[in-house]
Coordinates of all heavy atoms in Angstrom, one line a residue:
M1 N 154.9 186.7 239.6 CA 156.0 187.8 239.4 C 156.8 187.7 238.2 O 157.2 186.6 238.1 CB 156.9 187.9 240.7 CG 157.8 189.0 240.7 SD 158.5 189.3 242.3 CE 160.1 189.1 242.1
R2 N 156.8 188.7 237.5 CA 157.5 188.5 236.2 C 159.1 188.8 236.4 O 159.5 189.6 237.1 CB 157.1 189.8 235.3 CG 157.4 189.6 233.8 CD 156.9 190.9 233.1 NE 157.9 191.8 233.5 CZ 158.3 192.7 232.5 NH1 157.7 192.7 231.3 NH2 159.3 193.5 232.7
Q3 N 159.9 187.9 235.6 CA 161.3 188.1 235.9 C 162.0 188.9 234.7 O 161.4 189.0 233.7 CB 161.9 186.7 235.7 CG 161.6 185.8 236.9 CD 162.3 184.4 236.7 OE1 162.8 184.1 235.8 NE2 162.2 183.7 237.8
A4 N 163.0 189.7 235.0 CA 163.8 190.3 234.1 C 164.5 189.5 233.0 O 165.0 188.6 233.4 CB 164.6 191.3 234.8
T5 N 164.5 189.9 231.9 CA 165.1 189.3 230.8 C 166.6 189.8 230.8 O 167.0 190.7 231.5 CB 164.5 189.4 229.3 OG1 164.6 190.9 229.1 CG2 163.0 189.0 229.4
D6 N 167.4 189.3 229.9 CA 168.8 189.7 229.7 C 169.0 191.1 229.3 O 169.9 191.8 229.7 CB 169.5 188.8 228.8 CG 169.7 187.4 229.2 OD1 169.7 187.1 230.5 OD2 170.0 186.5 228.5
N7 N 167.9 191.6 228.6 CA 168.1 192.9 228.2 C 167.2 194.0 228.8 O 167.1 195.2 228.7 CB 167.6 193.1 226.7 CG 168.4 192.3 225.7 OD1 169.7 192.2 226.0 ND2 167.8 191.6 224.7
E8 N 166.5 193.5 229.9 CA 165.7 194.3 230.7 C 166.1 194.5 232.1 O 166.5 193.5 232.8 CB 164.4 193.7 230.8 CG 163.3 194.3 231.5 CD 161.8 193.6 231.4 OE1 161.8 192.5 231.1 OE2 160.9 194.2 231.9
P9 N 166.3 195.6 232.7 CA 166.8 195.9 234.1 C 165.9 195.4 235.2 O 164.6 195.3 234.9 CB 167.1 197.4 234.1 CG 166.1 198.1 233.2 CD 166.0 196.9 232.0
L10 N 166.3 195.1 236.3 CA 165.5 194.8 237.5 C 164.6 195.9 237.7 O 165.1 197.2 237.7 CB 166.3 194.3 238.5 CG 167.0 193.0 238.4 CD1 168.0 192.7 239.6 CD2 166.1 191.8 238.4
S11 N 163.4 195.7 238.3 CA 162.6 196.9 238.6 C 163.0 197.6 239.9 O 162.7 198.8 240.0 CB 161.2 196.3 238.8 OG 161.1 195.5 239.9
D12 N 163.8 196.9 240.8 CA 164.3 197.7 241.9 C 165.7 197.4 242.1 O 166.2 196.3 242.8 CB 163.5 197.3 243.2 CG 163.9 198.1 244.4 OD1 164.6 199.0 244.3 OD2 163.4 197.7 245.4
P13 N 166.6 198.2 241.6 CA 168.1 197.9 241.8 C 168.7 198.1 243.1 O 169.8 197.8 243.4 CB 168.7 198.7 240.7 CG 167.8 199.8 240.5 CD 166.5 199.2 240.7
S14 N 167.9 198.7 244.0 CA 168.5 198.9 245.3 C 168.7 197.6 246.1 O 169.5 197.6 247.1 CB 167.4 199.7 246.1 OG 166.3 199.0 246.5
I15 N 168.2 196.6 245.6 CA 168.5 195.3 246.3 C 170.1 195.1 246.3 O 170.5 194.6 247.2 CB 167.8 194.0 245.7 CG1 168.0 192.8 246.7 CG2 168.2 193.8 244.4 CD1 167.0 191.8 246.3
F16 N 170.6 195.6 245.1 CA 172.1 195.2 245.1 C 172.9 196.1 246.1 O 173.9 195.7 246.8 CB 172.7 195.6 243.7 CG 172.1 194.6 242.7 CD1 171.1 195.0 241.7 CD2 172.5 193.2 242.7 CE1 170.7 194.1 240.9 CE2 172.1 192.4 241.8 CZ 171.1 192.7 240.9
F17 N 172.4 197.3 246.4 CA 173.0 198.1 247.3 C 172.9 197.5 248.7 O 173.8 197.5 249.5 CB 172.4 199.6 247.3 CG 172.9 200.5 248.5 CD1 174.1 201.0 248.2 CD2 172.2 200.8 249.5 CE1 174.7 201.9 249.2 CE2 172.7 201.6 250.5 CZ 173.9 202.2 250.4
D18 N 171.7 197.1 249.1 CA 171.4 196.5 250.4 C 172.3 195.3 250.6 O 172.7 195.0 251.7 CB 170.0 196.0 250.5 CG 169.0 197.2 250.5 OD1 169.4 198.3 251.0 OD2 167.9 197.1 250.3
L19 N 172.6 194.4 249.5 CA 173.5 193.4 249.5 C 174.8 193.7 249.8 O 175.6 193.0 250.6 CB 173.5 192.5 248.3 CG 172.1 191.8 248.1 CD1 172.1 191.0 246.8 CD2 171.9 190.6 249.2
M20 N 175.3 194.9 249.2 CA 176.7 195.3 249.3 C 177.0 196.0 250.9 O 178.0 195.7 251.4 CB 176.9 196.4 248.3 CG 177.2 195.8 246.9 SD 177.6 197.0 245.6 CE 177.2 198.5 246.2
V21 N 176.0 196.7 251.3 CA 176.2 197.3 252.5 C 175.8 196.4 253.8 O 176.1 196.9 255.0 CB 175.6 198.7 252.7 CG1 176.2 199.6 251.7 CG2 174.1 198.7 252.6
G22 N 175.1 195.4 253.5 CA 174.6 194.6 254.7 C 175.7 194.1 255.6 O 175.6 194.2 256.7
P23 N 176.9 193.6 255.0 CA 178.0 193.2 255.9 C 178.5 194.2 256.8 O 178.9 194.1 257.9 CB 179.0 192.6 255.0 CG 178.2 192.1 253.8 CD 177.1 193.2 253.7
V24 N 178.6 195.6 256.1 CA 179.2 196.7 256.8 C 178.2 197.0 258.1 O 178.6 197.3 259.1 CB 179.3 197.8 255.9 CG1 179.7 199.1 256.8 CG2 180.4 197.4 254.9
R25 N 176.9 197.0 257.7 CA 175.9 197.3 258.7 C 176.0 196.3 259.9 O 175.9 196.6 261.1 CB 174.6 197.5 258.2 CG 174.3 198.5 257.3 CD 172.8 198.5 256.7 NE 172.6 199.7 256.1 CZ 171.6 199.8 255.1 NH1 170.9 198.8 254.9 NH2 171.5 200.8 254.4
M26 N 176.2 195.1 259.5 CA 176.4 194.0 260.6 C 177.6 194.2 261.4 O 177.6 194.1 262.6 CB 176.3 192.6 259.9 CG 176.0 191.5 260.7 SD 174.3 191.7 261.4 CE 174.6 190.9 263.0
A27 N 178.6 194.6 260.8 CA 180.0 194.8 261.5 C 179.8 195.9 262.5 O 180.3 196.0 263.7 CB 181.1 195.0 260.5
V28 N 179.1 197.2 262.0 CA 178.8 198.2 262.9 C 178.0 197.7 264.1 O 178.2 198.1 265.3 CB 178.2 199.4 262.2 CG1 177.8 200.6 263.1 CG2 179.1 199.9 261.2
L29 N 177.0 197.1 263.8 CA 176.1 196.6 265.0 C 176.8 195.7 266.0 O 176.5 195.8 267.1 CB 174.8 195.8 264.3 CG 173.8 195.0 265.3 CD1 173.3 196.2 266.2 CD2 172.8 194.3 264.6
N30 N 177.6 194.7 265.4 CA 178.3 193.8 266.3 C 179.3 194.6 267.2 O 179.3 194.4 268.3 CB 179.1 192.7 265.5 CG 178.2 191.7 265.0 OD1 177.2 191.4 265.6 ND2 178.5 190.9 263.9
T31 N 180.0 195.6 266.6 CA 181.0 196.3 267.3 C 180.3 197.1 268.4 O 180.6 197.3 269.6 CB 181.8 197.2 266.4 OG1 182.4 196.4 265.4 CG2 182.8 198.0 267.2
A32 N 179.1 197.8 268.0 CA 178.3 198.5 269.0 C 177.7 197.7 270.1 O 177.8 198.2 271.3 CB 177.0 199.2 268.2
L33 N 177.4 196.4 269.8 CA 177.1 195.7 271.0 C 178.2 195.2 271.8 O 178.0 195.2 273.0 CB 176.5 194.3 270.3 CG 175.0 194.5 269.8 CD1 174.7 193.2 268.9 CD2 174.0 194.8 270.9
E34 N 179.4 194.9 271.1 CA 180.5 194.5 272.0 C 181.1 195.6 272.9 O 181.4 195.3 273.9 CB 181.7 194.1 271.0 CG 181.5 192.8 270.4 CD 182.7 192.4 269.4 OE1 183.6 193.0 269.4 OE2 182.5 191.5 268.5
L35 N 180.9 196.8 272.4 CA 181.4 198.1 273.3 C 180.3 198.6 274.1 O 180.6 199.4 274.8 CB 182.0 199.0 272.2 CG 183.1 198.7 271.3 CD1 183.5 199.8 270.4 CD2 184.3 198.3 272.2
D36 N 179.2 198.0 273.9 CA 178.0 198.6 274.7 C 177.9 200.1 274.5 O 177.8 200.9 275.4 CB 178.0 198.2 276.1 CG 176.8 198.5 276.8 OD1 175.7 198.6 276.3 OD2 176.9 198.9 278.1
I37 N 177.8 200.5 273.3 CA 177.9 201.9 272.8 C 176.9 202.6 273.5 O 176.9 203.8 274.0 CB 178.0 202.1 271.3 CG1 179.4 201.6 270.8 CG2 177.6 203.5 270.9 CD1 180.6 202.6 271.3
T38 N 175.6 202.1 273.3 CA 174.4 202.8 273.9 C 174.4 202.9 275.4 O 173.9 204.0 275.9 CB 173.0 202.2 273.4 OG1 172.9 201.0 273.8 CG2 173.0 202.3 271.8
G39 N 174.8 201.9 276.1 CA 175.0 202.1 277.5 C 176.0 203.3 277.8 O 175.8 204.0 278.8
L40 N 177.0 203.3 277.2 CA 178.2 204.3 277.3 C 177.5 205.6 277.1 O 178.0 206.6 277.7 CB 179.3 204.1 276.4 CG 180.5 205.0 276.5 CD1 181.2 204.8 277.8 CD2 181.5 204.6 275.4
L41 N 176.7 205.8 276.2 CA 176.0 207.1 275.8 C 174.7 207.4 276.3 O 173.9 208.3 275.7 CB 176.0 207.1 274.2 CG 177.3 207.0 273.4 CD1 177.1 206.9 271.9 CD2 178.3 208.0 273.8
D42 N 174.3 206.8 277.4 CA 173.1 207.1 278.1 C 172.8 208.6 278.3 O 171.7 209.1 278.0 CB 173.0 206.4 279.4 CG 172.5 204.9 279.4 OD1 171.9 204.6 278.3 OD2 172.7 204.2 280.3
D43 N 173.8 209.2 278.8 CA 173.7 210.7 279.1 C 174.3 211.6 278.0 O 174.3 212.9 278.2 CB 174.2 211.0 280.5 CG 175.7 210.6 280.6 OD1 176.1 210.0 279.7 OD2 176.3 211.0 281.6
G44 N 174.7 211.0 277.0 CA 175.5 211.8 275.9 C 176.9 212.2 276.3 O 177.2 212.5 277.4
K45 N 177.8 212.2 275.3 CA 179.2 212.5 275.5 C 179.8 213.1 274.3 O 179.5 212.7 273.2 CB 179.9 211.4 276.0 CG 179.7 210.7 277.3 CD 180.5 209.4 277.6 CE 180.4 208.9 279.0 NZ 179.1 208.6 279.4
P46 N 180.8 214.0 274.4 CA 181.6 214.3 273.2 C 182.4 213.3 272.8 O 182.8 212.3 273.7 CB 182.3 215.6 273.7 CG 182.3 215.5 275.2 CD 181.0 214.7 275.6
L47 N 183.0 213.4 271.7 CA 183.8 212.3 271.1 C 184.9 212.0 272.0 O 185.5 210.9 272.3 CB 184.3 212.6 269.7 CG 185.4 211.8 269.1 CD1 184.7 210.3 268.9 CD2 185.7 212.4 267.7
E48 N 185.7 213.0 272.6 CA 186.9 213.0 273.4 C 186.5 212.1 274.6 O 187.3 211.3 275.2 CB 187.4 214.3 273.8 CG 187.9 215.1 272.7 CD 186.7 215.7 271.8 OE1 185.7 215.9 272.4 OE2 187.1 216.2 270.7
D49 N 185.4 212.3 275.2 CA 185.0 211.4 276.4 C 184.6 210.1 276.1 O 184.9 209.2 276.9 CB 183.7 212.2 277.1 CG 184.0 213.6 277.8 OD1 185.3 213.8 277.8 OD2 183.0 214.1 278.2
V50 N 184.1 209.7 274.9 CA 183.8 208.4 274.5 C 185.2 207.8 274.3 O 185.4 206.5 274.7 CB 183.1 208.5 273.2 CG1 182.9 207.1 272.6 CG2 181.6 209.1 273.4
A51 N 186.1 208.4 273.6 CA 187.4 207.9 273.4 C 188.1 207.5 274.8 O 188.7 206.5 274.9 CB 188.3 208.8 272.5
E52 N 188.1 208.4 275.6 CA 188.5 208.2 276.9 C 187.9 207.0 277.7 O 188.6 206.1 278.3 CB 188.5 209.4 277.9 CG 189.1 209.3 279.2 CD 189.0 210.6 280.1 OE1 189.0 211.6 279.5 OE2 189.0 210.4 281.3
A53 N 186.6 206.8 277.6 CA 185.8 205.7 278.3 C 186.3 204.4 277.7 O 186.2 203.5 278.3 CB 184.4 206.0 278.3
L54 N 186.6 204.3 276.4 CA 186.9 203.2 275.6 C 188.4 202.9 275.6 O 188.9 201.9 275.1 CB 186.4 203.3 274.2 CG 184.8 203.3 274.0 CD1 184.5 203.4 272.5 CD2 184.2 202.0 274.6
G55 N 189.2 203.9 276.2 CA 190.6 203.7 276.2 C 191.3 204.0 274.9 O 192.5 203.4 274.7
V56 N 190.6 204.7 274.0 CA 191.3 205.1 272.9 C 192.3 206.3 273.1 O 191.9 207.3 273.4 CB 190.3 205.5 271.8 CG1 191.0 206.0 270.4 CG2 189.4 204.3 271.4
T57 N 193.6 206.1 272.8 CA 194.6 207.0 273.2 C 195.2 207.7 271.9 O 195.8 208.8 271.9 CB 195.7 206.5 274.1 OG1 196.3 205.4 273.4 CG2 195.2 206.1 275.4
A58 N 195.1 207.0 270.8 CA 195.7 207.5 269.5 C 194.6 208.3 268.9 O 193.6 208.8 269.5 CB 196.0 206.3 268.6
D59 N 194.8 208.6 267.7 CA 193.8 209.4 266.9 C 192.4 209.0 266.9 O 192.1 207.8 266.8 CB 194.4 209.4 265.4 CG 193.5 210.2 264.5 OD1 192.9 211.2 264.9 OD2 193.5 210.0 263.2
T60 N 191.4 209.8 267.3 CA 190.3 209.4 267.5 C 189.3 209.5 266.2 O 188.0 209.3 266.3 CB 189.5 210.3 268.7 OG1 189.5 211.7 268.2 CG2 190.3 209.9 269.9
A61 N 189.8 209.8 265.0 CA 189.1 210.0 263.9 C 188.3 208.8 263.5 O 187.1 208.9 263.2 CB 190.0 210.4 262.6
N62 N 188.8 207.6 263.6 CA 188.1 206.5 263.2 C 187.0 206.1 264.3 O 186.0 205.7 263.7 CB 189.1 205.1 263.2 CG 190.0 205.3 262.0 OD1 189.7 205.7 260.8 ND2 191.2 204.6 262.0
L63 N 187.2 206.5 265.4 CA 186.2 206.3 266.4 C 184.9 207.3 266.0 O 183.8 206.9 266.1 CB 186.6 206.6 267.9 CG 185.6 206.6 269.0 CD1 184.8 205.1 268.9 CD2 186.1 206.9 270.2
G64 N 185.4 208.4 265.6 CA 184.3 209.2 265.1 C 183.6 208.9 264.0 O 182.3 209.0 263.9
Y65 N 184.2 208.2 263.0 CA 183.6 207.7 261.8 C 182.6 206.5 262.2 O 181.6 206.5 261.7 CB 184.6 207.1 260.8 CG 185.4 208.0 260.3 CD1 186.9 207.8 259.9 CD2 185.0 209.4 260.0 CE1 187.8 208.7 259.5 CE2 185.9 210.2 259.3 CZ 187.3 209.9 259.2 OH 188.1 210.9 258.6
F66 N 183.1 205.7 263.2 CA 182.2 204.7 263.7 C 181.0 205.2 264.4 O 179.9 204.7 264.2 CB 183.1 203.6 264.7 CG 182.1 202.8 265.5 CD1 181.6 201.6 264.8 CD2 181.9 202.9 266.8 CE1 180.8 200.9 265.5 CE2 181.1 202.2 267.4 CZ 180.5 201.0 266.8
L67 N 181.2 206.2 265.2 CA 180.1 206.7 265.9 C 179.0 207.3 264.9 O 177.9 207.4 265.0 CB 180.5 207.7 267.0 CG 181.1 207.0 268.1 CD1 181.8 208.2 269.1 CD2 180.0 206.2 269.0
D68 N 179.6 208.1 263.8 CA 178.8 208.6 262.9 C 178.0 207.5 262.1 O 176.8 207.7 261.8 CB 179.6 209.4 261.8 CG 180.2 210.6 262.3 OD1 179.7 211.1 263.3 OD2 181.1 211.2 261.6
A69 N 178.5 206.2 261.9 CA 177.9 205.2 261.2 C 176.8 204.7 262.3 O 175.7 204.3 261.7 CB 178.9 204.0 260.9
T70 N 177.0 204.7 263.6 CA 176.0 204.3 264.4 C 174.8 205.3 264.4 O 173.5 204.9 264.5 CB 176.4 204.1 265.8 OG1 176.9 205.3 266.5 CG2 177.4 203.0 265.8
S71 N 175.1 206.5 264.2 CA 174.2 207.6 264.0 C 173.4 207.4 262.7 O 172.1 207.6 262.8 CB 174.7 209.0 264.1 OG 175.3 209.3 265.4
A72 N 174.1 207.1 261.7 CA 173.4 207.0 260.4 C 172.4 205.7 260.5 O 171.5 205.7 259.7 CB 174.3 206.6 259.2
M73 N 172.7 204.8 261.3 CA 171.9 203.6 261.4 C 170.8 203.7 262.4 O 170.1 202.8 262.7 CB 172.8 202.4 261.8 CG 173.7 201.9 260.5 SD 174.8 200.8 261.0 CE 173.8 199.4 261.5
G74 N 170.8 204.9 263.2 CA 169.8 205.2 264.1 C 170.1 204.6 265.5 O 169.2 204.7 266.4
F75 N 171.2 204.1 265.9 CA 171.5 203.5 267.1 C 171.9 204.7 268.2 O 171.7 204.6 269.4 CB 172.5 202.6 267.1 CG 172.2 201.4 266.3 CD1 173.2 200.9 265.3 CD2 171.1 200.8 266.5 CE1 172.8 199.7 264.6 CE2 170.6 199.6 265.5 CZ 171.5 199.1 264.7
T76 N 172.5 205.8 267.5 CA 172.8 206.8 268.4 C 172.4 208.1 267.7 O 171.9 208.2 266.6 CB 174.3 207.0 268.6 OG1 175.0 207.1 267.4 CG2 175.0 205.8 269.3
E77 N 172.5 209.3 268.4 CA 172.1 210.6 267.8 C 173.3 211.5 267.9 O 174.0 211.5 269.0 CB 170.9 211.2 268.4 CG 169.6 210.3 268.1 CD 168.5 210.8 269.0 OE1 168.7 211.8 269.7 OE2 167.5 210.2 268.8
K78 N 173.7 212.2 266.9 CA 174.8 213.1 267.0 C 174.2 214.5 267.2 O 173.4 214.9 266.3 CB 175.7 213.1 265.7 CG 176.8 213.9 265.8 CD 177.7 213.8 264.4 CE 178.9 214.6 264.6 NZ 179.9 214.3 263.4
Q79 N 174.5 215.2 268.3 CA 174.0 216.5 268.6 C 175.1 217.5 269.2 O 175.8 217.0 270.0 CB 172.8 216.4 269.7 CG 171.7 215.7 269.1 CD 170.6 215.8 270.2 OE1 170.8 215.8 271.2 NE2 169.3 215.5 269.7
N80 N 175.3 218.5 268.7 CA 176.3 219.6 269.1 C 177.6 219.1 269.4 O 178.3 219.2 270.3 CB 175.7 220.1 270.4 CG 174.4 220.8 270.3 OD1 174.1 221.4 269.3 ND2 173.5 220.5 271.4
G81 N 178.1 218.2 268.3 CA 179.4 217.5 268.4 C 179.6 216.4 269.4 O 180.6 215.9 269.6
G82 N 178.5 216.0 270.0 CA 178.5 214.7 270.8 C 177.6 213.8 270.3 O 176.9 213.9 269.4
Y83 N 177.6 212.7 271.2 CA 176.8 211.5 270.8 C 176.0 211.0 272.0 O 176.4 211.1 273.2 CB 177.7 210.3 270.2 CG 178.4 210.7 269.2 CD1 179.6 211.3 269.2 CD2 178.0 210.4 267.8 CE1 180.4 211.6 268.2 CE2 178.7 210.8 266.7 CZ 180.0 211.3 266.8 OH 180.7 211.7 265.8
R84 N 174.7 210.7 271.7 CA 174.0 210.1 272.9 C 173.1 208.9 272.1 O 173.0 208.9 271.1 CB 173.1 211.0 273.5 CG 172.0 211.7 272.6 CD 171.1 212.8 273.4 NE 169.9 213.0 272.8 CZ 168.8 212.3 273.0 NH1 168.6 211.3 273.9 NH2 167.6 212.6 272.4
R85 N 172.7 208.1 273.0 CA 171.9 206.8 272.5 C 170.6 207.3 271.9 O 170.0 208.3 272.4 CB 171.8 205.9 273.6 CG 170.8 206.2 274.6 CD 170.4 205.2 275.6 NE 169.6 205.8 276.6 CZ 168.6 205.2 277.2 NH1 168.5 203.8 277.0 NH2 167.8 205.7 278.1
S86 N 170.1 206.6 271.0 CA 168.7 206.8 270.4 C 167.7 206.0 271.2 O 168.0 204.8 271.7 CB 168.8 206.2 268.9 OG 167.4 206.3 268.5
E87 N 166.6 206.6 271.6 CA 165.6 206.0 272.3 C 164.9 205.1 271.4 O 164.3 204.0 271.9 CB 164.7 207.0 272.9 CG 165.3 207.9 274.0 CD 165.7 207.2 275.1 OE1 165.1 206.1 275.4 OE2 166.7 207.4 275.8
E88 N 164.9 205.2 270.0 CA 164.2 204.4 269.2 C 164.8 203.1 268.9 O 164.1 202.1 268.8 CB 163.8 205.2 267.9 CG 163.0 206.4 268.0 CD 162.8 207.1 266.7 OE1 163.2 206.5 265.7 OE2 162.3 208.2 266.8
R89 N 166.1 203.1 268.8 CA 166.8 201.9 268.4 C 167.9 201.6 269.5 O 169.0 201.5 269.1 CB 167.4 202.0 267.0 CG 166.5 201.9 265.9 CD 167.1 201.9 264.7 NE 166.2 201.9 263.5 CZ 166.5 201.9 262.3 NH1 167.9 201.9 262.0 NH2 165.7 202.0 261.4
R90 N 167.6 201.2 270.5 CA 168.5 201.0 271.6 C 169.1 199.6 271.4 O 168.4 198.6 271.3 CB 167.8 201.1 273.0 CG 169.1 200.9 274.1 CD 168.5 201.2 275.5 NE 169.6 201.1 276.4 CZ 169.8 201.5 277.6 NH1 168.7 202.2 277.9 NH2 170.7 201.3 278.3
V91 N 170.5 199.6 271.4 CA 171.2 198.2 271.2 C 172.2 198.2 272.3 O 172.7 199.2 272.8 CB 171.9 198.0 269.9 CG1 170.9 197.9 268.9 CG2 172.9 199.1 269.7
G92 N 172.4 197.0 273.0 CA 173.3 197.0 274.0 C 173.4 195.7 274.7 O 172.8 194.6 274.1
K93 N 173.9 195.5 275.8 CA 174.0 194.2 276.5 C 172.6 193.7 276.8 O 172.4 192.5 276.7 CB 174.7 194.3 277.8 CG 176.2 194.6 277.6 CD 177.0 194.7 278.8 CE 178.5 195.0 278.5 NZ 179.3 195.2 279.8
E94 N 171.7 194.5 277.0 CA 170.3 194.0 277.3 C 169.7 193.3 276.1 O 168.6 192.7 276.2 CB 169.5 195.1 278.0 CG 169.1 196.1 277.0 CD 170.1 197.3 276.6 OE1 171.0 197.3 277.2 OE2 169.8 198.1 275.8
C95 N 170.2 193.6 275.0 CA 169.6 193.0 273.6 C 170.1 191.6 273.3 O 169.7 191.1 272.5 CB 169.9 193.9 272.5 SG 169.0 195.6 272.8
R96 N 171.3 191.4 274.0 CA 171.8 190.0 273.8 C 171.1 188.8 274.5 O 170.6 188.9 275.5 CB 173.1 189.9 274.3 CG 174.1 190.8 273.4 CD 175.5 190.7 273.8 NE 176.4 191.3 272.8 CZ 177.6 191.3 272.8 NH1 178.2 190.5 273.6 NH2 178.2 191.9 271.8
S97 N 171.1 187.6 273.8 CA 170.4 186.5 274.3 C 171.4 185.6 275.0 O 172.5 185.6 274.8 CB 169.6 185.6 273.3 OG 170.5 185.4 272.3

């Protein structure tokens, strides 16, 4: 494999993006596991119901951002303003060793 020189860019700069977002993805995964998000969303729930189940009484915007991140990563699916677990990438208590 040929190495890039000082004046030549890397052939695939996406590796830097992966390195930057890796810790964020891991934090989302850890939090999803701790909260058993997919177990909570077995039957699908709107954001307000998820907040109530988790005991979130303040502004739910950050919870919405978190659930959107789990959707972007494929752990949940966002449909009609609600969230449900993804059948393809289920994470939860049953995944822990």
Side-chain angles (χ1 to χ4, degrees):
M1 184 161 122
R2 197 182 82 139
Q3 292 183 349
T5 64
D6 289 341
N7 297 328
E8 182 181 8
L10 293 173
S11 60
D12 187 8
S14 68
I15 190 170
F16 294 111
F17 177 77
D18 291 338
L19 289 170
M20 289 183 337
V21 298
V24 174
R25 289 179 177 159
M26 198 64 214
V28 170
L29 175 59
N30 281 335
T31 303
L33 288 170
E34 287 176 16
L35 297 176
D36 190 27
I37 287 297
T38 58
L40 179 66
L41 299 177
D42 273 341
D43 54 353
K45 289 182 173 56
L47 177 62
E48 295 78 19
D49 290 355
V50 176
E52 183 179 332
L54 293 174
V56 176
T57 57
D59 183 20
T60 60
N62 287 332
L63 177 60
Y65 298 142
F66 168 73
L67 291 172
D68 287 346
T70 63
S71 292
M73 293 174 61
F75 301 130
T76 62
E77 297 172 357
K78 186 175 183 178
Q79 295 179 339
N80 302 323
Y83 299 87
R84 67 183 198 88
R85 73 175 174 146
S86 169
E87 292 299 326
E88 294 178 13
R89 290 189 182 175
R90 185 172 184 161
V91 295
K93 291 180 181 177
E94 72 277 2
C95 298
R96 292 185 167 190
S97 54

